Amino acid sequence: MTMRQLRSLSLLALVVALAGCSIGDVRRTAPAPEPTLSDSASPPPVPRTVAETRTTRLAVAERYDQPYVEFVDAERGYALFAACDGRPPGGSDCPALLWSTGDGGRSWQSLRHPKPVAENQQLYATVEVLALWAEPHGWWTSTNGGETFRHSPGEAAPASWQATQGRFQVIEESGKAGRWDGRRLRPLPTQPPLSAIHTVAVADTLIRKPDGTEFHAPLVATGLSGDGRPRVAESWDEGRSWRSGEPLSADGEVGVLRLLLRPDEWWLIGERPDRTGFPALWRSTGSSNWFRVYAEGHPESGRVVPLGGSTAAVISPRGAGAVVGGRYLDLPWPVTAEHSLRLLPDGTLFAVGPQGVLLGTGQYAERSWVAINLVGD
């Protein structure tokens, strides 16, 4: 990145900052690898170095493969060692090992895994709940950071985990919009007027009108209209009635319409059917009006993560970039197309790649990166 681009990005970030002044589904199997991005015009750049590397040597035998690591904020995280010598879990000679950190990966503490021998081991975590799947024995969940666990037999996700996914969710079995009542997901009395529902969520925030009056945000559902175009529906009475706007304008076909609610703005991401082309983007400040977000100069493909402040991060074969002010700018982040990227609830960016995980702290596109490395004996 040139100094001129850096100055432009800093200025744009300052402008949007002044203007601005739900976890995915539980899966029993390991997450499928994300689609490979390709961009023949721009080869991947050389990754930049990180500001700090935190390496910890753990009491884990060398035969164990790299762990699955999950962070829930900048300080708290978990690591699950569950396979040895490239073989899947299941043998008593390779029991699952569980670790946690409360200081951003500077130190790690061993936790007792409640079912270390199983055919399939998975770890999922939110700020409130740590969930372990040990096939075929069921689920174990903890609400105190792994000190104690509660067993839930069967394949269905336990109530403590399901509750963390939001008051309103899409019911996986039926594809309908539902509300969590504390024990199960129940279909809403009236379904959104969409041929396919992709996301349903509500932001627990107040919207302020220009005249100073405030009101609670509506329940929002996203999906496709009857002719396959992206569309948004809103309910102001928690699903008893709905109203939908006109289909959103998008360049090209949209396969999945994702809704991401941030404290200061809402984003719609229209993923392409092949999941690799650069998505269509819209933004709203919490009203019924959605504005198309353009990204002049964007790569041919990319994955987008909204950061707030009218800014979104992009991971593509060119490395990391940002959409801000209608333009795309490359960023000097140590994040490549091989990384997945997620924004944690506290605003930390969490990137997972073949060589380990990265934590990016800061605001909007201005980030300081830390690498977390776990090494066995």
Side-chain angles (χ1 to χ4, degrees):
M1 175 180 285
T2 66
M3 289 302 297
R4 181 178 180 181
Q5 287 176 314
L6 283 170
R7 288 194 294 269
S8 297
L9 178 60
S10 300
L11 179 59
L12 286 169
L14 176 61
V15 170
V16 296
L18 294 175
C21 314
S22 81
I23 305 289
D25 296 332
V26 175
R27 292 161 291 187
R28 296 199 302 109
T29 58
E34 297 199 20
T36 301
L37 302 179
S38 61
D39 188 348
S40 58
S42 301
V46 177
R48 271 54 168 193
T49 58
V50 297
E52 179 185 356
T53 298
R54 298 169 185 169
T55 300
T56 306
R57 185 170 294 277
L58 304 179
V60 175
E62 186 178 357
R63 69 177 183 275
Y64 278 87
D65 296 344
Q66 286 294 310
Y68 177 80
V69 179
E70 186 73 71
F71 272 78
V72 299
D73 57 32
E75 300 297 323
R76 291 176 291 173
Y78 302 93
L80 175 67
F81 293 82
C84 296
D85 301 321
R87 295 180 287 107
S92 59
D93 62 335
C94 185
L97 303 177
L98 184 63
W99 297 76
S100 71
T101 180
D103 57 8
R106 296 176 179 86
S107 64
W108 293 80
Q109 297 74 45
S110 177
L111 300 175
R112 184 188 67 85
H113 194 293
K115 195 66 175 179
V117 179
E119 297 175 8
N120 182 19
Q121 299 278 7
Q122 299 293 322
L123 178 153
Y124 306 91
T126 67
V127 174
E128 301 89 358
V129 177
L130 167 64
L132 302 175
W133 166 256
E135 189 176 0
H137 309 288
W139 293 90
W140 277 263
T141 53
S142 174
T143 57
N144 55 14
E147 294 182 14
T148 59
F149 286 90
R150 179 177 180 178
H151 182 216
S152 301
E155 296 187 5
S160 59
W161 174 267
Q162 197 73 52
T164 67
Q165 307 306 297
R167 289 191 295 136
F168 298 93
Q169 305 171 37
V170 177
I171 303 174
E172 184 177 353
E173 296 80 6
S174 64
K176 294 183 177 181
R179 178 170 184 167
W180 178 252
D181 67 1
R183 293 181 299 176
R184 56 173 293 189
L185 276 172
R186 297 184 181 274
L188 297 177
T190 304
Q191 290 296 303
L194 302 168
S195 63
I197 303 172
H198 297 161
T199 313
V200 58
V202 64
D204 294 322
T205 57
L206 291 174
I207 298 175
R208 181 183 295 273
K209 288 184 175 180
D211 61 6
T213 59
E214 295 181 334
F215 56 94
H216 286 280
L219 173 62
V220 181
T222 71
L224 302 179
S225 60
D227 58 1
R229 290 188 291 174
R231 197 167 193 166
V232 178
E234 295 180 349
S235 175
W236 296 88
D237 51 17
E238 298 198 329
R240 288 182 289 274
S241 63
W242 294 86
R243 69 184 188 190
S244 61
E246 294 296 320
L248 300 172
S249 174
D251 296 330
E253 186 179 354
V254 169
V256 175
L257 188 64
R258 294 193 291 124
L259 171 68
L260 296 175
L261 305 178
R262 302 296 181 225
D264 60 340
E265 60 190 3
W266 302 351
W267 283 77
L268 286 174
I269 300 177
E271 302 287 0
R272 304 303 181 182
D274 63 0
R275 302 286 289 182
T276 61
F278 197 85
L281 302 174
W282 299 267
R283 190 174 63 85
S284 172
T285 55
S287 64
S288 302
N289 297 320
W290 290 93
F291 303 96
R292 182 71 186 274
V293 176
Y294 295 93
E296 181 183 352
H298 68 72
E300 294 180 2
S301 57
R303 298 185 296 266
V304 174
V305 179
L307 303 178
S310 306
T311 305
V314 178
I315 304 302
S316 79
R318 285 161 56 174
V323 175
V324 57
R327 298 166 55 196
Y328 173 88
L329 294 173
D330 290 312
L331 292 175
W333 290 358
V335 181
T336 70
E338 294 181 314
H339 287 87
S340 64
L341 186 69
R342 189 167 80 247
L343 186 69
L344 302 181
D346 69 343
T348 301
L349 279 173
F350 177 56
V352 181
Q355 304 304 318
V357 303
L358 300 169
L359 297 175
T361 57
Q363 192 174 38
Y364 309 136
E366 297 295 330
R367 299 281 168 166
S368 177
W369 292 91
V370 171
I372 308 295
N373 291 328
L374 299 180
V375 181
D377 285 339

